[in-house]
Structures are given as structure tokens and as C-alpha cells.
Amino acid sequence: MKVQQFSRIGFIMAAAGSAVGLGNIWKFPYMTGMYGGGAFVLVYLITIAFVGFSVMVAEMLIGALGRRDTVGSFERLAPPNQKGWKYAGFMGFNGVIIMTFYSVVIGWIFYYLFEIFTGLPTSTDTAKATFDALVGAKAGVQIFWHTVAVVIVAYIVYRGIKGGIEKFNLVLMPALLLILFGLLAYATTLEGFGKAWDFMFASDWSKINSEAIVRAVGHSFFTLSLGMGAIMTYAASLPKHASITKTAFIVTFMDTLIALVAGLVIYSFLFHEGAPAAQGPGLVFISLPVVLSHFGTLGTVLALLFFLALAFAGITSAISLVEPVVQYLIDRFDMTRAKAVVVTSLGYWLIGIGALLSYTKAWGETFSIGGKPLFDILEYTTDSILLPLGGLLIAIFVGYVLQKDRVYSALEHEMGKTYFNIWRFSIRYVAPVALVFMMLNLMGILKI
Ligand code: PFF
């Protein structure tokens, strides 16, 4: 099988596009609010530095050496007596499970992009009513926007690595950076900026608990797109002489920077208006529009820019969630790209409808299992089980299964001996321990 190759900058933008997503601009800021600010941010940063970055290098390495779809890469790299490792490659399917709800949220963002023009809500009650009406009652509207999201993503993926994924990332990522840094520049002029800075960087350890730690570890994986074969699939198209270490570093750095910038921007606006921090998932859909309404016409422009950035971030991540399965279907079943995209998209589109209906009043019960809405089940399963499992398999495979010489010759010239040894220690010991700890904790087996 012949996979197309990215250009070097195209790969960086595509991998960063995958990493920078709703996780950075929607989830990270509200999680920071929920878990008390600075201490949560610090745990998140430590995990990114000591675990996330190492696993990113490992996942890229599997893709770059394997040069196949995720199943094919594991199969090709595993020693002859351990070909069962190919099943680890099915982590590529986690992406489409995520897409079932990720595309629903992108749909909400599209809805808001238009809703903004009808005027921003001036009170939390009205804002909450708008959001609740959308999620709880307007099934048809949600299905419409969910479908729009699926079609846009399908089109980009259908255009392939060069003509779709690389091209769109090369436009959308700089646009996203421009908007976010523009918003940051404006936010620094607000009184709330200093408070936002303190909230995010002054660690108050009394607010941290085991749940916050586990969520920070989990989120650091989600935000870097690790454990689902997305980065691995892209890395199969890595230009031959590109440095894995350098690329992984740039992507990790950009992802972290953007999460912090998004947090600073949102909290500057919020604190400027004296709004509280802990708001949960409604933070950008409920609190932010209300706060921005106080800025008059400028507020509408700011809201528009913010939701555009969110939409761009969502789309560039979504394509990386779909591509692994598409690549798998092309490789394994000799499907044309068009057919693979249609099959994949139809599948998650349908389940996505179930997910969005599970939040509505009318269908909620039908689409719940054991009292839990399908949306939450899908999110929990991917976020808390499949993703750490994927990360663990990557760490074990690269740390213990792949021949050391092979790993060494691929990375040593990039890292030098000392850093290589530190990285290898992290992959063999730190990452597995952190991930196992996290999984046990989430299953309620090990509580700290
Ligand atoms: N990293 C993306 C975000 O932060 O929103 C989400 C994501 C994309 C997770 C791709 C996993 C993945 F494979």
C-alpha cells in the first residue's frame, strides 16, 4: 500500500490540528474551573511534560516505522511470534466512537455561530434557556447541524492527505491561531486579565483531590490526541527525514499553549464581569455569551470570532478522528477512499443521532442505558477506558516489544543518548504506571 506523504509543515499543522480541538478551547477551560484552577493546571502541565510528550513520540514512532493503517503498523512491527499485537491497532476505531458525540458538539457550535446574530443573551437565565432548549428539545435542529458537521468532515477526509487534510489544516490552523492570539491581545487590556492569570497559575492545593488528578491525566491524553491511532495514522505519512522528536515537541507545545490561551481569554472576560469560575460544560455556551453581551457590538464580534475558532479547532481534530478508520478500510478491504468515507461517516452519524437524542426530554429514556444517556456512556467509555488503554498499549509496545535497537536507531540521533534514556524510562515506567493508576482509579478500584 502506498500512503501519501505530508510536507513537513503540513504534518506539523495536521498533527497540531488534531491535538488542538474542543478539548483545548471548550473542555480544558471548564475543567480548570470545575477543579479549582491553578493546581489542576499544574497537574495537567506536569502530565503533559512527563507522560504525554513521551507517548506522543512513541505513537508517532509506530506510525513512522509502520507506514500502514494502525492495525497494519502494529502487525508489521511486532516480532514474528507476537503478531497478536495487531489487535492493538484497533485503537484506531476509538476515533469514530469519539466522533459520535464530538460531531454533535461541533453541531452546537455551528448553531451558535448563527444564533449569535439574533443577539447575545443578556442574562444567565436566557442563555441557559437557549442552551437547554437546543440540547433538550430541538432534536431536529441538532440533527441538522450534526449532519452538516459530518458532511464537512467527510468531504475533507475524502480529499485525502494532501488535497484535503493537509490543505485544510494549513488554512484553518493559522486562522485559529490568529483569532485566539487576537482575542488574547484584547483580553490583556481587561481588568479581569490579572485575575484570570492568578486563577490559572496560582496553585491552591487545597482544591485538588484524586478526581481532579485523574481527570487532569485523562485530559492530557485526550487533548494531545493520544491512544486512538490518530497521530499514528498521520505519522504513517510523515515525510521521511522529519524529526519525530522535534515534531512531537512542537505539537505538544502548541497544544498546551492554546489551551492556556483559551483559558486566559475566557476567564479574563468572565472575571471582568465578575462572573464565577466554576460553570461546567455550559461555560462557553452559557456564561461566555452573557458576559460578551455586556460589550455591545464588540461583544458580538468577539463571540463570533471565538465560536469560529472553536469550529476550526473542532473540524481539524474531527478529521483526524475519522482518518484512521478510513485508512484501515482502504488498506484492508481495498475500498476506494470515497466508499470508506461514506461507510465510516454513516456509521458514526447514526450513532451520533442516538447520542444527541439521549439528551432530549422526548427521547432521553429510549436512548439511555441503566439511566445513563448514551452521550455520556460514549464519552466515558472513550475518555476513561479506551483512551488510557490505547496509551498503555502504545507505551508497552514501544517500551518492551519493539526491538530496542530499532527504537534507538530511529530516535537516538534526534535526542542524544541522555534524553533517549530519559524518554525510554518514561515510556517503560512512568507512562504505564500513570495510566494504570488512572484506569484503576476510574474503575473505583484504587482511590487515593
Ligand atoms: N485532541 C482533540 C481535542 O483536544 O479536542 C480530540 C481528539 C482528536 C482526541 C483526535 C483524540 C484523537 F485521536
Side-chain angles (χ1 to χ4, degrees):
M1 185 245 348
K2 183 114 188 65
V3 279
Q4 284 180 325
Q5 273 191 21
F6 282 109
S7 68
R8 200 171 292 205
I9 178 73
F11 179 79
I12 292 176
M13 284 301 168
S18 169
V20 176
L22 304 181
N24 301 61
I25 309 180
W26 169 56
K27 226 168 159 183
F28 172 74
Y30 86 68
M31 286 177 90
T32 303
M34 270 167 74
Y35 293 110
F40 174 84
V41 174
L42 194 63
V43 177
Y44 168 83
L45 292 178
I46 291 174
T47 326
I48 296 256
F50 292 101
V51 187
F53 171 67
S54 312
V55 178
M56 168 88 74
V57 169
E59 185 166 339
M60 270 189 197
L61 183 71
I62 299 176
L65 293 177
R67 300 263 156 199
R68 303 254 156 99
D69 66 280
T70 48
V71 178
S73 285
F74 271 103
E75 190 176 21
R76 187 173 180 193
L77 298 178
N81 56 345
Q82 295 187 45
K83 289 296 177 197
W85 269 100
K86 75 173 182 200
Y87 295 107
F90 283 103
M91 70 175 69
F93 280 72
N94 295 350
V96 283
I97 310 180
I98 294 184
M99 270 310 276
T100 58
F101 60 86
Y102 207 81
S103 62
V104 173
V105 181
I106 297 178
W108 296 346
I109 295 162
F110 286 163
Y111 172 84
Y112 267 76
L113 269 173
F114 287 88
E115 183 65 21
I116 288 166
F117 291 104
T118 63
L120 294 171
T122 47
S123 75
T124 308
D125 287 344
T126 18
K128 200 166 165 342
T130 309
F131 185 65
D132 289 348
L134 172 68
V135 174
K138 295 184 182 166
V141 174
Q142 283 195 83
I143 293 176
F144 173 76
W145 288 115
H146 164 63
T147 309
V148 172
V150 173
V151 170
I152 292 177
V153 171
Y155 175 71
I156 300 175
V157 176
Y158 158 72
R159 298 282 305 267
I161 291 282
K162 273 277 182 217
I165 298 175
E166 172 163 328
K167 212 163 165 185
F168 279 85
N169 273 298
L170 280 174
V171 177
L172 294 183
M173 282 308 286
L176 163 71
L177 289 171
L178 209 69
I179 295 176
L180 267 187
F181 280 93
L183 288 173
L184 178 69
Y186 178 67
T188 55
T189 67
L190 300 175
E191 223 178 274
F193 184 76
K195 289 188 199 141
W197 184 276
D198 287 345
F199 177 66
M200 290 192 53
F201 298 117
S203 308
D204 175 355
W205 288 100
S206 68
K207 296 224 177 88
I208 206 89
N209 54 25
S210 73
E211 188 189 335
I213 295 177
V214 169
R215 295 300 302 264
V217 177
H219 187 64
S220 69
F221 269 71
F222 183 83
T223 191
L224 291 176
S225 300
L226 298 174
M228 304 181 203
I231 295 293
M232 197 184 296
T233 303
Y234 278 1
S237 299
L238 185 75
K240 278 275 186 290
H241 298 293
S243 158
I244 291 175
T245 315
K246 220 192 271 170
T247 315
F249 181 80
I250 296 173
V251 173
T252 307
F253 180 78
M254 266 172 84
D255 186 76
T256 310
L257 185 69
I258 288 186
L260 296 176
V261 169
L264 281 173
V265 167
I266 292 173
Y267 284 111
S268 297
F269 288 136
L270 241 66
F271 295 158
H272 186 70
E273 291 295 327
Q279 312 257 353
L283 181 67
V284 305
F285 293 108
I286 298 171
S287 323
L288 192 68
V290 177
V291 163
L292 290 177
S293 78
H294 301 156
F295 288 75
T297 316
L298 174 66
T300 309
V301 177
L302 293 173
L304 185 68
L305 287 173
F306 179 82
F307 279 100
L308 259 185
L310 204 50
F312 291 169
I315 291 170
T316 51
S317 295
I319 53 185
S320 78
L321 286 160
V322 176
E323 176 66 9
V325 176
V326 167
Q327 195 65 56
Y328 171 80
L329 293 176
I330 296 174
D331 276 15
R332 299 276 145 165
F333 297 96
D334 250 347
M335 277 190 200
T336 59
R337 187 165 265 275
K339 191 167 170 198
V341 170
V342 171
V343 171
T344 311
S345 306
L346 266 181
Y348 82 79
W349 173 75
L350 211 62
I351 305 173
I353 291 178
L356 69 86
L357 287 177
S358 74
Y359 272 175
T360 60
K361 281 192 208 77
W363 296 91
E365 244 170 68
T366 320
F367 289 92
S368 292
I369 303 169
K372 281 222 177 313
L374 182 62
F375 192 110
D376 294 359
I377 296 174
L378 290 164
E379 192 182 3
Y380 180 83
T381 314
T382 44
D383 235 36
S384 308
I385 302 172
L386 297 176
L387 171 151
L389 185 66
L392 187 63
L393 290 172
I394 288 170
I396 295 175
F397 188 74
V398 172
Y400 297 92
V401 180
L402 210 55
Q403 296 91 330
K404 185 179 174 200
D405 292 353
R406 201 145 180 211
V407 179
Y408 189 75
S409 67
L411 294 178
E412 198 268 343
H413 65 281
E414 295 180 6
M415 294 183 174
K417 205 171 168 86
T418 313
Y419 283 112
F420 177 80
N421 285 335
I422 297 175
W423 168 78
R424 194 149 184 272
F425 180 80
S426 163
I427 266 306
R428 282 167 69 89
Y429 304 106
V430 185
V433 168
L435 287 162
V436 168
F437 156 76
M438 183 191 147
M439 284 162 80
L440 291 179
N441 196 292
L442 282 165
M443 288 178 217
I445 297 170
L446 185 85
K447 286 271 172 234
I448 46 169

